[in-house]
Each structure stands twice: as C-alpha cells, then as structure tokens.
C-alpha cells in the first residue's frame, strides 16, 4: 500500500542515544546510525516501502529516566527543537510528537503547548512512568498532580502516546533469572498495560472525556484480556472496585487508539480490531527497533479488506492527528 502513515517511529539525540544501547546487541553500530539518522536511510526505507509520513518521537526511556527535573526539562526542549528542525526540512514526510518532562507536570503542560502551538507537533509521546528526584522513584500519571496536565492535553486536542519502558530494578523481582522477558518480549507490555489501566481506573477519563491515548504493539495485550479485566465473576455481580464510573471496556473504546508497532501478526490485529473497532487501529513500525520492510510487507498483504487497510494504513491517522496531507 502506498501512502502509509506510521507513528511510533523513533530518533535519538546524543544525550538520549545511550538509553537504546542495551537493545542494540551485536548490531549497535547500525541501530545507532538508524536512531541518529532522520533524512537519509530512514527516508530511503520509507520511499521503498510506501510510507509517506512518519510521526517522529524520541527514543526510550530518555526524558522519563532523568531524575533531575531541571535537566529533564532542558533535554526535552533540546529534543523537541531538533525534531522541529527535521519537520521543517521535510514537512511532507515528517510530523512530530513532543517529548515531555513529566517530572514537573506544569513544565510538561507548558512544553506540550509550545510544541503544538509554536512547533506544529501533533501530540506527545511519553515513555511510561517518570523517575523524579531519585532513580528509585517511579511516578505514574494517574496521580492527582497530573490532572491539570491532562486538562491541557485535552484542551489542545492532541493525543498522548503512552510508550513502553522497562520496570525499575526494584520492580523486576518477578523476572529474576529470566531477563529475556525484560524489554519488548514481555515486560514492556506488562508495564505499559498496567499504566494504561491505572489511568482508566483512576477516573481520568470521566474528568477528561475527550482525552485520547494511543498504545503501541496492538494495545500491549489489553485487547486479548479486556473481557476478563471487566469480568466480575458473572453471577456475583460485584460492583467494580475503582473510582471511574464506567467499565474498562467503555474507556478503552472511547479514549484509546492502538498501533501495529512491533506486532506484525494478523490474528492479533484482527482481535484488536474486533475489540476496539477498525477506526481506532493505525499502522506503525517502531523504527528503528523494528524494520520498515518487514512491517510493510506484512501489512500490505494482511488478510483484511482493502477498505480496512486504507483506514488502518492512512485515513485513521489523518483524522486523529488532523494531518494536512
Ligand atoms: C521501542 O521503542 O518500542 C523499543 C525500544 C527498545 C527495544 C525494542 C523496542 O525502545 O520495541
Ligand atoms: Zn517504540
């Protein structure tokens, strides 16, 4: 399919590049190049495989793993200015998601506003919880101090992409001796799905009913488990035990969107489409951790209707991000 739009596509700047090294294995040299490069290899791969536009975002965990708030604010600004420069160079090929210093909710709201209003970005991408003040601290965004930030995000009308990161060492007891589960094979999804459920259960979407959150990797496992998450043992009819008013499924279907990033498996995509509706699923790659060629060859031939392919590959993103292409 020509004209695809992809939206979990990462780049790095020198201060954040090192965060991706553990994921580079024996190909770090090439991964490093693909992260720093925006206008060369990336663009050639896009041309070759029918990707018209990438919405770019910083690598992970980057800003969220900088416990010094002032430094987090400065590096986020640096990353966003670098991204804006890439967007200016090729406005028909690159759009952008803001990196945000969530360590300081007020500064995060101000930076998001600057990125949207002055730099023309179409949303934010944040890598899970933030370490604030100490590397051992993990702060999640259902906390009450983030409500004004979410109000700003809702008022700006831009989606918030909740991107994975690994749990902190204090939270990885369950993976001890089984490090293979850290990262994209399991822990990223578990960490991110729980964060999304925290946002839902907290009642955030009752307060901000128009707020839209994007999850990658076809929903980090949530679509497959959604029925059970809302299950309350049938005959017992227990009321749910969180502050939010509605079922988890209700918020998932009204406030969430999913991308195919790093999950190029047709039965999983069809399952996600069935749970959330085809209008809330979007094609993505997860460049450079995943490959544009593999993602495109899979998606272009996946056994779905051509009407659905057009929605997922392009039209849903144009609508959600109000893209002018
Ligand atoms: C990602 O950004 O989704 C990612 C990483 C590192 C390894 C794999 C992966 O940041 O999908
Ligand atoms: Zn990613």
């Amino acid at each position: 399919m020509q004209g695809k739009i992809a939206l979990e596509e990462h780049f790095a700047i020198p201060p954040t590049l090192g965060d991706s090294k553990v994921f580079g294995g024996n190909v770090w040299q090439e991964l490093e190049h693909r992260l720093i490069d925006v206008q060369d290899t990336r663009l050639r791969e896009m041309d070759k495989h029918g990707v018209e536009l990438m919405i770019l975002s910083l690598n992970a965990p980057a800003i969220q793993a900088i416990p010094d708030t002032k430094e987090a604010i400065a590096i986020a600004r640096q990353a966003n200015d670098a991204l804006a420069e890439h967007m200016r160079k090729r406005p028909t090929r690159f759009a952008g998601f803001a990196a945000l210093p969530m360590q300081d909710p007020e500064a995060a709201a101000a930076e998001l506003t600057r990125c949207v209003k002055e730099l023309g970005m179409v949303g934010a991408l944040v890598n899970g919880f933030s370490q604030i003040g100490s590397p051992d601290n993990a702060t999640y965004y259902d906390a009450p101090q983030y409500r004004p930030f979410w109000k700003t995000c809702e008022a700006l009308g831009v989606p918030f992409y909740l991107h994975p990161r690994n749990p902190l060492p204090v939270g990885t007891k369950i993976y001890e001796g089984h490090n293979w589960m850290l990262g994209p094979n399991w822990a990223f999804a578990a960490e991110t799905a729980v964060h999304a459920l925290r946002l839902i259960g907290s009642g955030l979407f009752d307060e901000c009913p128009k707020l839209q959150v994007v999850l990658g990797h076809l929903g980090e496992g949530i679509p497959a488990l959604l029925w059970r998450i809302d299950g309350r043992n049938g005959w017992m009819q227990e009321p749910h035990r969180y502050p939010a008013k509605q079922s988890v499924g209700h918020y998932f279907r009204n406030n969430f969107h999913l991308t195919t990033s790093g999950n190029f498996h047709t039965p999983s995509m069809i399952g996600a489409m069935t749970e959330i509706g085809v209008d809330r699923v979007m094609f993505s790659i997860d460049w450079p951790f995943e490959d544009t060629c593999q993602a495109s060859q899979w998606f272009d031939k996946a056994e779905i209707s051509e009407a659905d392919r057009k929605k997922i590959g392009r039209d849903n993103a144009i609508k959600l991000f109000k893209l002018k292409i």
Side-chain angles (χ1 to χ4, degrees):
M1 174 185 165
Q2 291 298 308
K4 289 192 288 296
I5 295 168
L7 49 135
E8 193 191 309
E9 318 310 332
H10 309 297
F11 74 101
I13 56 171
T16 67
L17 180 63
D19 284 12
S20 296
K21 196 163 181 188
V22 291
F23 301 106
N26 55 359
V27 294
W28 172 239
Q29 251 193 333
E30 178 59 25
L31 180 62
E32 182 181 25
H33 162 70
R34 292 184 185 199
L35 274 163
I36 290 288
D37 161 69
V38 171
Q39 309 280 346
D40 180 26
T41 308
R42 180 185 308 253
L43 206 51
R44 271 187 280 123
E45 287 294 299
M46 289 165 66
D47 288 343
K48 221 156 94 188
H49 301 288
V51 179
E52 182 175 329
L53 183 91
M54 273 188 179
I55 307 178
L56 300 175
S57 53
L58 197 59
N59 64 325
I63 310 303
Q64 276 62 62
I66 304 174
D68 182 304
T69 298
K70 271 203 183 123
E71 195 187 336
I73 293 171
I75 307 280
R77 212 182 155 87
Q78 184 188 337
N80 292 330
D81 288 342
L83 173 51
E85 200 45 49
H86 285 300
M87 291 159 54
R88 266 194 290 276
K89 251 187 219 162
R90 281 200 170 80
T92 59
R93 308 305 301 279
F94 297 119
F97 285 141
L100 296 180
M102 297 297 281
Q103 288 81 350
D104 176 342
E106 239 177 83
E111 181 63 0
L112 179 58
T113 305
R114 179 182 86 93
C115 288
V116 172
K117 298 236 153 129
E118 293 173 30
L119 305 181
M121 296 192 190
V122 294
L125 182 140
V126 167
N127 299 308
F129 63 83
S130 282
Q131 286 156 276
I132 309 180
S134 137
D136 299 330
N137 169 277
T139 299
Y140 291 85
Y141 312 134
D142 54 288
Q145 65 269 30
Y146 287 98
R147 288 298 156 97
F149 166 82
W150 291 119
K151 286 271 176 206
T152 302
C153 195
E154 185 189 38
L156 287 167
V158 292
F160 179 100
Y161 203 125
L162 184 63
H163 185 273
R165 64 173 298 176
N166 266 324
L168 293 179
V170 292
T172 50
K173 175 92 185 142
I174 193 169
Y175 303 119
E176 223 170 72
H178 300 266
N179 277 352
W180 65 271
M181 277 191 274
L182 290 170
N185 300 93
W186 180 260
F188 276 3
E191 173 66 38
T192 312
V194 172
H195 198 166
L197 295 175
R198 289 179 67 118
L199 297 180
I200 289 173
S202 73
L204 171 62
F205 300 102
D206 294 323
E207 248 181 78
C208 302
K210 292 207 173 88
L211 179 63
Q212 300 296 318
V213 173
V214 184
L215 294 176
H217 315 104
L218 287 172
E220 311 294 1
I222 292 178
L225 295 169
L226 194 54
W227 187 87
R228 183 158 165 81
I229 293 170
D230 270 327
R232 290 192 296 284
N233 289 20
W235 66 273
M236 296 185 190
Q237 293 297 313
E238 287 281 319
H240 61 237
R241 292 175 287 125
Y242 49 68
K245 294 196 174 103
Q246 311 272 354
S247 66
V248 171
H250 172 88
Y251 301 106
F252 199 65
R253 294 183 184 102
N254 285 285
N255 299 94
F256 281 77
H257 302 259
L258 314 178
T259 77
T260 67
S261 64
N263 202 344
F264 313 134
H265 186 54
T266 307
S268 303
M269 178 167 69
I270 290 172
M273 290 158 68
T274 308
E275 286 297 343
I276 205 170
V278 64
D279 293 341
R280 288 177 176 269
V281 181
M282 295 173 284
F283 173 74
S284 286
I285 301 157
D286 210 347
W287 177 269
F289 303 100
E290 302 285 345
D291 194 39
T292 302
C293 176
Q294 187 193 1
S296 300
Q297 285 184 350
W298 161 71
F299 181 74
D300 292 356
K301 290 205 175 111
E303 287 159 319
I304 54 175
S305 72
E306 290 313 309
D308 285 354
R309 196 183 327 277
K310 193 160 172 290
K311 280 187 174 182
I312 296 172
R314 177 179 175 88
D315 292 348
N316 290 346
I318 293 179
K319 217 171 176 179
L320 181 62
F321 300 105
K322 303 177 185 96
L323 302 172
K324 290 174 192 73
I325 59 169

PDB file of all heavy atoms in Angstrom, residues 115-129:
ATOM      1  N   CYS A 115       5.159  23.028  21.916  1.00  0.00           N
ATOM      2  CA  CYS A 115       5.400  22.129  20.782  1.00  0.00           C
ATOM      3  C   CYS A 115       4.231  22.133  19.803  1.00  0.00           C
ATOM      4  O   CYS A 115       4.431  22.065  18.597  1.00  0.00           O
ATOM      5  CB  CYS A 115       5.667  20.713  21.283  1.00  0.00           C
ATOM      6  SG  CYS A 115       7.285  20.565  22.061  1.00  0.00           S
ATOM      7  N   VAL A 116       3.010  22.198  20.334  1.00  0.00           N
ATOM      8  CA  VAL A 116       1.833  22.174  19.462  1.00  0.00           C
ATOM      9  C   VAL A 116       1.646  23.529  18.785  1.00  0.00           C
ATOM     10  O   VAL A 116       1.498  23.617  17.565  1.00  0.00           O
ATOM     11  CB  VAL A 116       0.570  21.764  20.263  1.00  0.00           C
ATOM     12  CG1 VAL A 116      -0.686  21.929  19.422  1.00  0.00           C
ATOM     13  CG2 VAL A 116       0.705  20.322  20.750  1.00  0.00           C
ATOM     14  N   LYS A 117       1.687  24.587  19.591  1.00  0.00           N
ATOM     15  CA  LYS A 117       1.332  25.914  19.058  1.00  0.00           C
ATOM     16  C   LYS A 117       2.456  26.550  18.243  1.00  0.00           C
ATOM     17  O   LYS A 117       2.212  27.228  17.264  1.00  0.00           O
ATOM     18  CB  LYS A 117       0.950  26.843  20.211  1.00  0.00           C
ATOM     19  CG  LYS A 117      -0.284  26.351  20.974  1.00  0.00           C
ATOM     20  CD  LYS A 117      -1.366  27.398  21.024  1.00  0.00           C
ATOM     21  CE  LYS A 117      -2.716  26.776  21.161  1.00  0.00           C
ATOM     22  NZ  LYS A 117      -3.548  27.296  22.225  1.00  0.00           N
ATOM     23  N   GLU A 118       3.721  26.341  18.695  1.00  0.00           N
ATOM     24  CA  GLU A 118       4.828  27.029  18.007  1.00  0.00           C
ATOM     25  C   GLU A 118       5.570  26.116  17.043  1.00  0.00           C
ATOM     26  O   GLU A 118       6.077  26.585  16.031  1.00  0.00           O
ATOM     27  CB  GLU A 118       5.813  27.608  19.035  1.00  0.00           C
ATOM     28  CG  GLU A 118       5.194  28.741  19.850  1.00  0.00           C
ATOM     29  CD  GLU A 118       6.096  29.206  20.990  1.00  0.00           C
ATOM     30  OE1 GLU A 118       7.335  29.124  20.854  1.00  0.00           O
ATOM     31  OE2 GLU A 118       5.532  29.631  22.022  1.00  0.00           O
ATOM     32  N   LEU A 119       5.662  24.807  17.367  1.00  0.00           N
ATOM     33  CA  LEU A 119       6.475  23.923  16.526  1.00  0.00           C
ATOM     34  C   LEU A 119       5.621  23.031  15.618  1.00  0.00           C
ATOM     35  O   LEU A 119       6.157  22.266  14.826  1.00  0.00           O
ATOM     36  CB  LEU A 119       7.404  23.063  17.398  1.00  0.00           C
ATOM     37  CG  LEU A 119       8.323  23.830  18.380  1.00  0.00           C
ATOM     38  CD1 LEU A 119       9.205  22.853  19.156  1.00  0.00           C
ATOM     39  CD2 LEU A 119       9.197  24.855  17.659  1.00  0.00           C
ATOM     40  N   GLY A 120       4.306  23.099  15.752  1.00  0.00           N
ATOM     41  CA  GLY A 120       3.428  22.353  14.859  1.00  0.00           C
ATOM     42  C   GLY A 120       3.372  20.853  15.116  1.00  0.00           C
ATOM     43  O   GLY A 120       3.059  20.075  14.209  1.00  0.00           O
ATOM     44  N   MET A 121       3.645  20.430  16.341  1.00  0.00           N
ATOM     45  CA  MET A 121       3.577  18.988  16.633  1.00  0.00           C
ATOM     46  C   MET A 121       2.131  18.562  16.842  1.00  0.00           C
ATOM     47  O   MET A 121       1.265  19.377  17.136  1.00  0.00           O
ATOM     48  CB  MET A 121       4.448  18.663  17.838  1.00  0.00           C
ATOM     49  CG  MET A 121       5.911  18.940  17.533  1.00  0.00           C
ATOM     50  SD  MET A 121       7.008  18.277  18.769  1.00  0.00           S
ATOM     51  CE  MET A 121       8.549  19.045  18.232  1.00  0.00           C
ATOM     52  N   VAL A 122       1.899  17.260  16.689  1.00  0.00           N
ATOM     53  CA  VAL A 122       0.515  16.771  16.662  1.00  0.00           C
ATOM     54  C   VAL A 122       0.147  15.935  17.891  1.00  0.00           C
ATOM     55  O   VAL A 122      -0.902  15.296  17.919  1.00  0.00           O
ATOM     56  CB  VAL A 122       0.252  15.952  15.373  1.00  0.00           C
ATOM     57  CG1 VAL A 122       0.329  16.857  14.149  1.00  0.00           C
ATOM     58  CG2 VAL A 122       1.226  14.783  15.254  1.00  0.00           C
ATOM     59  N   GLY A 123       0.992  15.945  18.907  1.00  0.00           N
ATOM     60  CA  GLY A 123       0.712  15.190  20.120  1.00  0.00           C
ATOM     61  C   GLY A 123       1.971  15.037  20.942  1.00  0.00           C
ATOM     62  O   GLY A 123       2.973  15.722  20.692  1.00  0.00           O
ATOM     63  N   ALA A 124       1.901  14.122  21.931  1.00  0.00           N
ATOM     64  CA  ALA A 124       3.069  13.841  22.771  1.00  0.00           C
ATOM     65  C   ALA A 124       3.301  12.339  22.776  1.00  0.00           C
ATOM     66  O   ALA A 124       2.364  11.560  22.591  1.00  0.00           O
ATOM     67  CB  ALA A 124       2.808  14.318  24.192  1.00  0.00           C
ATOM     68  N   LEU A 125       4.555  11.936  22.946  1.00  0.00           N
ATOM     69  CA  LEU A 125       4.859  10.530  23.206  1.00  0.00           C
ATOM     70  C   LEU A 125       5.715  10.478  24.461  1.00  0.00           C
ATOM     71  O   LEU A 125       6.776  11.102  24.527  1.00  0.00           O
ATOM     72  CB  LEU A 125       5.569   9.857  22.034  1.00  0.00           C
ATOM     73  CG  LEU A 125       5.861   8.362  22.252  1.00  0.00           C
ATOM     74  CD1 LEU A 125       5.620   7.543  20.975  1.00  0.00           C
ATOM     75  CD2 LEU A 125       7.265   8.114  22.792  1.00  0.00           C
ATOM     76  N   VAL A 126       5.214   9.764  25.468  1.00  0.00           N
ATOM     77  CA  VAL A 126       5.882   9.689  26.771  1.00  0.00           C
ATOM     78  C   VAL A 126       6.174   8.225  27.092  1.00  0.00           C
ATOM     79  O   VAL A 126       5.326   7.354  26.888  1.00  0.00           O
ATOM     80  CB  VAL A 126       4.994  10.357  27.853  1.00  0.00           C
ATOM     81  CG1 VAL A 126       5.495  10.022  29.244  1.00  0.00           C
ATOM     82  CG2 VAL A 126       4.954  11.874  27.641  1.00  0.00           C
ATOM     83  N   ASN A 127       7.382   7.989  27.608  1.00  0.00           N
ATOM     84  CA  ASN A 127       7.847   6.615  27.843  1.00  0.00           C
ATOM     85  C   ASN A 127       7.536   6.123  29.257  1.00  0.00           C
ATOM     86  O   ASN A 127       8.423   5.917  30.073  1.00  0.00           O
ATOM     87  CB  ASN A 127       9.347   6.541  27.564  1.00  0.00           C
ATOM     88  CG  ASN A 127       9.667   6.905  26.130  1.00  0.00           C
ATOM     89  OD1 ASN A 127       9.074   6.350  25.201  1.00  0.00           O
ATOM     90  ND2 ASN A 127      10.576   7.844  25.930  1.00  0.00           N
ATOM     91  N   GLY A 128       6.288   5.970  29.564  1.00  0.00           N
ATOM     92  CA  GLY A 128       5.893   5.392  30.854  1.00  0.00           C
ATOM     93  C   GLY A 128       6.168   6.305  32.028  1.00  0.00           C
ATOM     94  O   GLY A 128       6.261   7.528  31.877  1.00  0.00           O
ATOM     95  N   PHE A 129       6.302   5.700  33.214  1.00  0.00           N
ATOM     96  CA  PHE A 129       6.478   6.464  34.458  1.00  0.00           C
ATOM     97  C   PHE A 129       7.727   7.340  34.408  1.00  0.00           C
ATOM     98  O   PHE A 129       8.651   7.073  33.634  1.00  0.00           O
ATOM     99  CB  PHE A 129       6.562   5.502  35.655  1.00  0.00           C
ATOM    100  CG  PHE A 129       7.755   4.575  35.609  1.00  0.00           C
ATOM    101  CD1 PHE A 129       9.011   4.981  36.058  1.00  0.00           C
ATOM    102  CD2 PHE A 129       7.626   3.278  35.103  1.00  0.00           C
ATOM    103  CE1 PHE A 129      10.116   4.129  36.016  1.00  0.00           C
ATOM    104  CE2 PHE A 129       8.719   2.421  35.048  1.00  0.00           C
ATOM    105  CZ  PHE A 129       9.966   2.849  35.505  1.00  0.00           C
TER     106      PHE A 129
END
